[in-house]
Amino acid sequence: MLVGDGLTLINWEKRKNPTKEEITKFATDRNLDSLVAELLLERDITDPLKIQTFLHSDATELQDPFGLHDMDKALDLIDQAVESGAKIAIYGDYDADGVTSTSIMKLTLQKLGNKPIFYIPDRFKDGYGPNLDRYKFLADQGIDLLITVDNGVSGKEQIKYMKDRGIKVIVTDHHDLPEELPDADAIVHPTIPGSEYVCPYLSGAGVAFKIADALLGEEAMDLIDLAAIGTVADSVALKGENRVIVTEGLKQMKQNHHVGLSALLKKCKVKLADINEEDIGFKIASRINALGRLENASSGVELLTTGDESFAKEIVDETEDINSKRQELVQTAFDDAQSQVAAQKDNGVLVLKGNGWHQGVLGIVASRVMDQENKPVLATQFDENSGVMKGSGRSPEGFNLFVALNKHKDLFTAFGGHAQACGFSIEEEQLDKLTELLQAEPAEQEFDPQAPVVKNYDLNLTIADLNLDLIKKINQLAPFGMGNPKPVIKLKNVSLTQSKAIGKDGSHLKTMVADSNRQVAAIGFGMFAKEQSTDTDICDVYGEIGINEWAGRKNLQLMLDDFQVSPEAQTIADLKEVYLDYRNKRLSTAILNHFDSIVFFNEVYYEAAKRSDVKAKLIRYDEECDGKNILIYDRPHNIELFKNFIKENKTQHTALFFHTDLTARYLKPDMAKMKTLLKYLYSHQNITADGMDLVAQYLNLQKTDVDFYLKVFFELNFVKIVNGFVEKADASQQRELIESPTYLKRLQRNDVEKILIESNFDDLLSWMSDYDCHC
């Protein structure tokens, strides 16, 4: 259950547990594949119409943009501004959602014939959201209309300034509403009370796209790929219209309409034919976000709106350099933070002071340490320009960071955020005071950082179930993201083999997940140290199945979320220290003499062994075992005898031979064949007991089967022998087959065969663990 460096515990629970019967009925009623049906049931998507829209999202499901608050007012203002040739400014944000929102609005206005200017705030100079000095700067440019994108709803003071200067203001935003809305000319927002939009979780880019939709109609679809980037990047719920935006956006990206985006995709080595939401999140959005973390993100807007290929390539090359630098800065700061993490191991809230950390990566560092420790984390760095500590905080589910910090807001020079993330400025001496005060917060919120983190998995599968068809079925539920996580697969009692460290720092794990028959390649980020410290290679593995394409070949690959030594797997591993699998081995006298004692369940084998040259002690199963190492030679006719034996057997090592001959199995009673034989005997006369060979030949049955069935029929008084002939008996009552001693004995022998002989060794040990005295 240990993760990362061994500090965070995870309890994996199945998201939901519909029964096989429920899954089968749901799949049949809805004409679905059973695996797709199970995933839908786990997500509570059961209504036929919702299933249809969820699995088959397309542009026809885009909602009426005029359902958004003040959309009609916003359009009137924009139309008037365009027709009069007014000067329009767009005020955006420095993250991927803000950059794509700005780009959508800019391209929309250009399509209408206007040439707007735009401003992306500088993370370090301007901070987040409306900045009064920047508003003054834009006003001095002689603008007539200001349109905010992905921000503005909290800019009451700044917007009042613009209004006082006679400038019209349209706010388009999706963030949490303040207690009092600004006095803008129009506020286009999906959660305005009384005007809640049908899709309340639109991103900033989603809101901007809806304005484009209202202004441009079908032509707005050229911009839906940018909206998809903002939607995925901002981690809003991929439900309702957001699913449509991402689904259609991915289709649009394949059309290659935007020169800058195409250049970026090429640089990321994304194959357009296979592009998915993970490519957006991990390759595209991360690079756009890097611009705002280290530099000014305005170049991101230039990239997404340019039609000049050479200019686009210049920006992409610059973006790649910045992103690489961002990765290095994050790793350096994260590594540097570990000594502070260790020093604060007893603290419930971690407060980290950077040593030259770049302010743009503080949030990422806080997030990574939070994942590692399952504790709230504040990452800070002294800012020479302002003379105070700038910081970013992250907290796990169950701890409200905003509530914790808001109690001490008088200590901050600036502070804002929400339950799981925040940003702040604070003087260094006040930070030390804050660190001490925050240690009471976990107890106040009844948050235990040592408690296991609960995560969900979706499917119990085996390695044999993993194939390309499975991926196609799972991808019917794509796109995946917030509100619709990618299904996590559990593989039970598997081994990690051929493990090796990869990555620049050797922290990542490349391994093969294997069972007794098959294996699949797997990658676990940051998991190599954990694998090395795991004391058994038998684990329960959790991860998402995907495809790794290399040199033109596509291979299955599991992305590991976790692996744990399950109690069952640990028990099996412990029992393998006691029991040895000798089934189907060839035993010589020399091998037998290596054992202290040899145990027999059948007298015939016991007597035969006594006449051999075996020097080991020969004992019956009900006698006391001597010595540390024994071998069980044969198998019992009744499984209960073996259960009782292992309940008492305390020897150090036990080899299981069971005199296994896979070519001579016990017969399994076949009800259909029994009925055929009985019907034949009842309908034919003058059949002698000695003539059953001919009956077996005629009915195409094995003679051994016929002999067995006939003995059962005699014991149950179904037939009798009169004067050497087999005749129907005058049975006066119904009899159950199990009433026949011969039939019952055969069933018992079949239990022995199935459990002791046919099982693979892990399954046999798992069964034995319920009775064995070593457990």
Side-chain angles (χ1 to χ4, degrees), residues 163-175:
K163 295 287 293 177
D164 288 345
R165 290 195 55 172
I167 298 169
K168 301 288 185 181
V169 178
I170 299 173
V171 170
T172 79
D173 201 354
H174 72 119
H175 290 97

Side-chain angles (χ1 to χ4, degrees), residues 499-525:
S499 299
K500 62 180 181 180
I502 59 172
K504 290 182 179 180
D505 59 354
S507 65
H508 306 313
L509 172 67
K510 183 176 183 180
T511 188
M512 300 298 293
V513 179
D515 59 21
S516 57
N517 297 310
R518 293 176 173 83
Q519 62 183 16
V520 62
I523 297 291
F525 291 112

Side-chain angles (χ1 to χ4, degrees), residues 59-70:
T60 62
E61 294 162 39
L62 289 172
Q63 302 297 310
D64 181 1
F66 288 92
L68 279 162
H69 180 266
D70 279 355

Side-chain angles (χ1 to χ4, degrees), residues 435-489:
T435 302
E436 184 177 347
L437 290 170
L438 285 177
Q439 302 316 312
E441 279 303 313
E444 287 284 333
Q445 297 193 26
E446 297 182 351
F447 174 79
D448 181 5
Q450 303 303 322
V453 175
V454 177
K455 290 189 177 183
N456 294 122
Y457 72 94
D458 301 85
L459 299 167
N460 285 301
L461 300 177
T462 66
I463 297 178
D465 297 320
L466 308 183
N467 51 49
L468 295 177
D469 187 54
L470 171 70
I471 295 176
K472 289 179 181 178
K473 291 175 182 178
I474 289 175
N475 284 342
Q476 288 184 45
L477 280 75
F480 300 112
M482 289 291 292
N484 181 40
K486 191 170 185 179
V488 175
I489 293 166

Side-chain angles (χ1 to χ4, degrees), residues 236-417:
V236 291
L238 288 187
K239 300 179 179 179
E241 194 169 21
N242 281 349
R243 285 182 62 79
V244 182
I245 289 173
V246 176
T247 300
E248 292 297 318
L250 288 168
K251 293 178 185 176
Q252 186 68 16
M253 285 183 198
K254 296 176 182 179
Q255 303 301 316
N256 226 10
H257 283 308
H258 297 292
V259 170
L261 180 56
S262 297
L264 184 57
L265 289 169
K266 185 177 181 180
K267 191 71 173 182
C268 298
K269 298 180 180 179
V270 174
K271 289 190 174 182
L272 288 179
D274 301 321
I275 190 169
N276 59 32
E277 67 278 6
E278 291 182 351
D279 292 321
I280 292 178
F282 293 111
K283 296 180 179 180
I284 302 171
S286 62
R287 284 166 168 78
I288 297 174
N289 278 326
L291 296 173
R293 291 188 182 280
L294 304 190
E295 305 286 345
N296 187 286
S298 296
S299 60
V301 178
E302 297 289 0
L303 174 65
L304 296 179
T305 59
T306 187
D308 186 327
E309 291 185 7
S310 60
F311 181 49
K313 185 179 183 305
E314 289 179 15
I315 300 176
V316 165
D317 290 342
E318 177 188 353
T319 301
E320 191 67 16
D321 291 340
I322 292 172
N323 187 54
S324 297
K325 182 180 178 182
R326 187 268 306 171
Q327 292 173 331
E328 293 174 3
L329 290 171
V330 169
Q331 191 61 50
T332 299
F334 178 73
D335 292 341
D336 187 40
Q338 294 307 307
S339 60
Q340 296 184 55
V341 171
Q344 298 182 44
K345 61 183 176 60
D346 295 328
N347 287 4
V349 179
L350 305 181
V351 180
L352 311 175
K353 291 184 179 180
N355 179 23
W357 299 352
H358 195 289
Q359 291 180 37
V361 303
L362 294 178
I364 302 178
V365 172
S367 181
R368 287 187 59 177
V369 175
M370 178 203 72
D371 288 338
Q372 174 185 282
E373 303 296 320
N374 192 40
K375 293 179 180 179
V377 180
L378 305 182
T380 67
Q381 172 62 41
F382 181 74
D383 179 48
E384 294 183 356
N385 292 327
S386 61
V388 298
M389 302 293 288
K390 293 290 184 72
S392 185
R394 299 291 186 272
S395 68
E397 291 291 333
F399 186 90
N400 192 312
L401 187 60
F402 182 85
V403 168
L405 296 183
N406 197 47
K407 290 181 180 179
H408 313 292
K409 60 184 178 182
D410 56 308
L411 299 178
F412 297 99
T413 58
F415 159 66

